[in-house]
Amino acid sequence: MARWGVAVLLVATVLAGQAAADRLLPRTGRTDAGRLAGRTGFAYLTGIRTYVAAVLWARLDPVNDTYYNKVPLGQKKFLLPTISIVNWLDPDMQEPYYVGPFVLYEAGLKRNAILLAERGARNNPKSAFLHASFAQLLLAEGRMADARREADVALTSAWTDPSDEYQLLSALEVIFNKTGAPGKAALVVSERKRLEATFNAEVLRPDKGD
């Protein structure tokens, strides 16, 4: 009970702080309001923990993408406490496991970044997004065998966002070429071209604040 009491107090504090920060920022329009309502409404049906996680992320994510968009990733460590809470509340939410590791990595906390990315991939074993982003970090570290393992999993897993897929396919292409799998690299290139032909530039543009 003590643990839950501390957790509830911590979440309440973060929510209050987030609400105060929101009041200092310009409104971002109907799109963000719709995202907030959609995510939190659905999460409410699955329990209070996922509901709170969705509320926190639905407010933090657009703030990161807009207000802090020009801030280098390595200087965004102030996002990490909220990301940690969201990860704990809802281990199945994918985006915090993408943003958090790259913030840590660019801040020089490379071991922590790898561990968080690995946890995200393990908690979401069918997520091509998280296996690919984990592979990208392993590639940056020169751990080619491990990067190839995650790239192989990503290649046979499901994507949910064409923008995420488009951005990370380039890393998979490099990994496959460097580990002697030109056929898989060609498959990745073909998929990237398909995305370019199917979706416009607005859909495929980077939007993670990096």
Side-chain angles (χ1 to χ4, degrees):
M1 292 298 293
R3 179 185 176 187
W4 274 103
V6 172
V8 170
L9 178 60
L10 183 58
V11 169
T13 301
V14 172
L15 284 172
Q18 189 67 60
D22 289 345
R23 287 195 292 270
L24 299 177
L25 300 174
R27 296 296 179 184
T28 53
R30 295 181 181 178
T31 300
D32 290 342
R35 289 174 62 193
L36 176 63
R39 290 184 181 184
T40 57
F42 175 80
Y44 178 78
L45 300 177
T46 64
I48 189 63
R49 285 178 60 167
T50 50
Y51 172 76
V52 175
V55 170
L56 288 171
W57 188 251
R59 294 310 305 157
L60 183 67
D61 191 33
V63 168
N64 179 38
D65 290 345
T66 55
Y67 191 73
Y68 295 115
N69 185 52
K70 301 302 182 183
V71 177
L73 273 177
Q75 296 178 22
K76 291 186 179 183
K77 289 190 290 184
F78 54 84
L79 300 176
L80 293 172
T82 302
I83 288 174
S84 296
I85 293 172
V86 173
N87 287 339
W88 177 72
L89 288 169
D90 186 1
D92 296 330
M93 186 180 291
Q94 297 183 38
E95 289 188 5
Y97 281 121
Y98 173 62
V99 177
F102 282 98
V103 171
L104 287 166
Y105 195 86
E106 292 299 321
L109 302 172
K110 296 183 177 181
R111 173 176 168 76
N112 301 75
I114 294 293
L115 290 174
L116 182 56
E118 181 178 22
R119 188 191 314 158
R122 299 300 168 257
N123 285 342
N124 299 271
K126 297 181 180 180
S127 169
F129 178 37
L130 293 183
H131 283 289
S133 63
F134 184 22
Q136 187 176 26
L137 285 175
L138 293 168
L139 170 65
E141 285 293 279
R143 294 171 54 179
M144 298 310 301
D146 293 332
R148 170 64 186 274
R149 180 197 65 230
E150 294 300 319
D152 282 336
V153 176
L155 198 63
T156 59
S157 300
W159 295 92
T160 58
D161 186 307
S163 177
D164 295 332
E165 182 179 6
Y166 185 80
Q167 292 176 58
L168 288 167
L169 284 177
S170 293
L172 299 188
E173 179 189 355
V174 172
I175 291 168
F176 288 131
N177 277 325
K178 285 182 174 292
T179 56
K184 291 184 176 181
L187 185 64
V188 167
V189 171
S190 176
E191 175 62 10
R192 206 163 192 265
K193 289 180 178 178
R194 185 193 68 80
L195 289 170
E196 288 179 342
T198 304
F199 300 99
N200 60 34
E202 178 65 19
V203 172
L204 297 177
R205 69 177 178 83
D207 63 354
K208 295 294 180 289
D210 49 20

